[in-house]
Amino acid sequence: MSEATSRPLRIAVIGTNYLGANTAAGMAEFGFDVVGVEIDEHRLKLLNDGKAPLYEPGLDPLLKKHVDSGRLRFTKDYTEIADWADVHFICVGTPQLESSEGADLAQVHSVVSMLAPLLTKPTLVVGRSTVPVGTSKVVEARFHAEAPAATGIEIAWQPEFLREAHGVDDTLHPDRLVFGVQSAEAEARLREVFATPIGEGTPVVVCNLPTAELVKGGANAFLATKISFINALAEMADATGADVTQLADALGYDKRIGRGMLYAGPGYGGGCLPKDLRAFMHRAGELGVEEVITLLREVDDINQRRRAGLVDITHEMLGGVWMGKNVTVLGAAFKAGTDDVRDSPALDVAGRISLHGATVTVYDPEAMENARRVRPTLRYASSAAEACIGAHAVLHLTEWPEFRELDPAALRGSVESPVIIDARLLLDAAKWRAAGWTYRAPGKP
């Protein structure tokens, strides 16, 4: 690795979408000189103007602050970072393959192809991308074979645990740091990089490479399991007249279980949990660990069944008729606080209803542009009130605060049939019923 100097560390962040943009801005906030690498011209221009290529609360001001200070800049030229940076962070995407449930590592390997031939001195390359266990050693072998510095390139893996809509805070104040390293020197360098949160008391787990690779996949698999578990209990609540929210409250008081993520709803979505869960299963299959596959397959099936169940409930509330019916969907993002529509339960349900023949109108405070690209055949409104005009049923599918503040009495006059399906279980049932609405929430009496 590079020799210690009296100057601040120089950090390169390769890939600057959600993970990379937060990482680059966070490292600049920690006091380092940072260069981000982005090959997409549109995103590159946005970033150099101090603007994030996506909606994430608090990220634009942080980027602007450090671009203006000169501490942070972005380039598409790998030669600007190769021997300049003391640490290179790989933050590119690992989406699901089109041909299987496995992770597509093309972007990771592209980074190696572009960076390795330019590295002429020892340095530390740190993966933050979520990858199948075993990837780091493949990446290491390539760097050693293709870089002029050869075995002077050390690989570490430092998984991220960023929650969309909380990415800035999770970057600056992580709840834990995991360092997958192969030497004391690599550990020391990572402790230098993350000195600020460590100084605030953030716990550090130092482990080997495969452990670090498994942590992120394991965390997401567990979270998905917890979400699907409470949704399975919601199905039991529907069958028995129980209240799944009260059930979750009671379970959550048990410290061994905890209330976090025990929220019944339309299921998990987004750019991480679904594809990471499937990649985890795929890798387990390659390794012959069948028990993991069996467990997580049911978790994924419950999640898909939740979406199908909402379509069935809508059909029931429409009197068993799709044609000629107008359905309003409140929400397009997979959760509030983001414009991410990847594997969004809201858009998935909207799309399924549309395929059955109903006319579907969608409104979301932040994700309209992305939703239109993914589901161009749906209708889109400029406000929740506009979306509800003429509706035979309204579905609450993303938990934006503004939906909880809607006035059901005011909306009552604009809908064709006052039917609200509260898939997020967050609306005031008594208030909606008092305003003349038929209120239905899966898992609640």
Side-chain angles (χ1 to χ4, degrees):
M1 292 184 293
S2 57
E3 295 179 0
T5 65
S6 58
R7 59 168 170 76
L9 285 181
R10 294 171 175 171
I11 294 177
V13 176
I14 305 169
T16 56
N17 203 17
Y18 177 76
L19 169 59
N22 276 288
T23 299
M27 293 299 166
E29 181 72 4
F30 290 158
F32 305 116
D33 292 328
V34 182
V35 174
V37 177
E38 177 54 63
I39 61 174
D40 182 276
E41 293 283 0
H42 175 66
R43 285 204 294 263
L44 182 61
K45 184 180 186 306
L46 284 174
L47 290 161
N48 275 320
D49 287 339
K51 299 177 182 177
L54 70 162
Y55 175 74
E56 178 67 23
L59 183 53
D60 274 2
L62 196 62
L63 285 169
K64 181 69 172 170
K65 171 184 175 182
H66 293 297
V67 167
D68 287 351
S69 73
R71 183 173 288 165
L72 173 62
R73 64 185 180 87
F74 298 88
T75 182
K76 64 178 180 180
D77 188 351
Y78 277 79
T79 62
E80 294 186 30
I81 64 160
D83 285 339
W84 173 86
D86 302 302
V87 183
H88 296 82
F89 280 99
I90 299 176
C91 296
V92 294
T94 53
Q96 185 176 326
L97 286 164
E98 293 184 3
S99 58
S100 77
E101 293 183 329
D104 184 350
L105 300 177
Q107 293 182 56
V108 174
H109 285 292
S110 177
V111 171
V112 180
S113 296
M114 297 295 290
L115 181 61
L118 302 174
L119 296 177
T120 63
K121 63 181 183 181
T123 193
L124 180 65
V125 177
V126 183
R128 296 205 90 196
S129 300
T130 303
V131 297
V133 61
T135 302
S136 59
K137 296 307 289 185
V138 175
V139 168
E140 179 182 66
R142 286 199 59 196
F143 271 107
H144 289 177
E146 300 173 32
T151 56
I153 309 303
E154 182 165 359
I155 302 300
W157 224 263
Q158 195 269 312
E160 51 83 18
F161 304 99
L162 307 188
R163 300 164 298 162
E164 291 195 50
H166 302 278
V168 171
D169 190 60
D170 288 347
T171 298
L172 300 178
H173 310 286
D175 57 11
R176 80 279 207 192
L177 291 164
V178 176
F179 297 161
V181 295
Q182 304 179 85
S183 71
E185 187 180 4
E187 178 188 344
R189 180 51 53 89
L190 284 173
R191 286 185 179 276
E192 185 178 359
V193 171
F194 292 97
T196 298
I198 291 173
E200 295 174 350
T202 298
V204 178
V205 176
V206 180
C207 57
N208 61 18
L209 293 176
T211 303
E213 290 169 311
L214 279 170
V215 166
K216 179 63 183 291
N220 279 350
F222 184 81
L223 294 175
T225 301
K226 201 169 182 182
I227 294 168
S228 284
F229 178 78
I230 197 63
N231 278 333
L233 289 185
E235 294 178 10
M236 292 189 68
D238 268 337
T240 60
D243 186 318
V244 72
T245 301
Q246 294 175 341
L247 178 61
D249 287 340
L251 291 173
Y253 282 114
D254 189 326
K255 293 180 180 179
R256 298 168 300 175
I257 298 172
R259 189 61 169 86
M261 306 300 284
L262 279 182
Y263 295 96
Y268 56 79
C272 292
L273 268 187
K275 63 97 174 173
D276 288 351
L277 182 79
R278 292 163 195 154
F280 203 73
M281 285 190 286
H282 184 81
R283 185 60 176 141
E286 293 177 335
L287 296 170
V289 188
E290 298 299 327
E291 293 82 359
V292 172
I293 301 173
T294 301
L295 170 65
L296 297 184
R297 179 67 64 199
E298 183 59 27
V299 168
D300 202 28
D301 288 347
I302 290 171
N303 198 56
Q304 293 302 314
R305 189 163 71 238
R306 195 63 173 172
R307 302 178 185 190
L310 285 170
V311 176
D312 292 340
I313 290 172
T314 304
H315 192 226
E316 175 191 337
M317 300 304 286
L318 292 174
V321 178
W322 290 114
M323 300 304 295
K325 300 296 185 179
N326 300 318
V327 176
T328 297
V329 170
L330 298 179
F334 84 95
K335 70 172 185 177
T338 179
D339 62 355
D340 192 345
V341 300
R342 290 174 294 176
D343 209 347
S344 165
L347 273 190
D348 186 23
V349 170
R352 295 186 193 205
I353 292 173
S354 178
L355 287 174
H356 281 298
T359 298
V360 180
T361 303
V362 178
Y363 168 71
D364 187 284
E366 293 292 341
M368 298 291 276
E369 183 177 342
N370 290 338
R372 283 192 180 96
R373 282 198 293 266
V374 175
R375 299 279 183 176
T377 60
L378 301 177
R379 293 186 179 183
Y380 294 91
S382 60
S383 69
E386 179 187 327
C388 289
I389 295 173
H392 295 92
V394 177
L395 278 72
H396 173 221
L397 291 176
T398 306
E399 69 281 24
W400 288 101
E402 75 171 72
F403 298 152
R404 296 197 293 275
E405 296 168 2
L406 290 172
D407 183 349
L411 289 178
R412 174 67 180 83
S414 63
V415 298
E416 188 68 26
S417 301
V419 173
I420 180 78
I421 301 169
D422 181 15
R424 289 289 180 174
L425 286 69
L426 291 172
L427 302 180
D428 186 335
K431 181 179 178 181
W432 284 81
R433 285 171 174 151
W437 288 73
T438 299
Y439 174 90
R440 178 77 176 273
K444 293 182 73 70

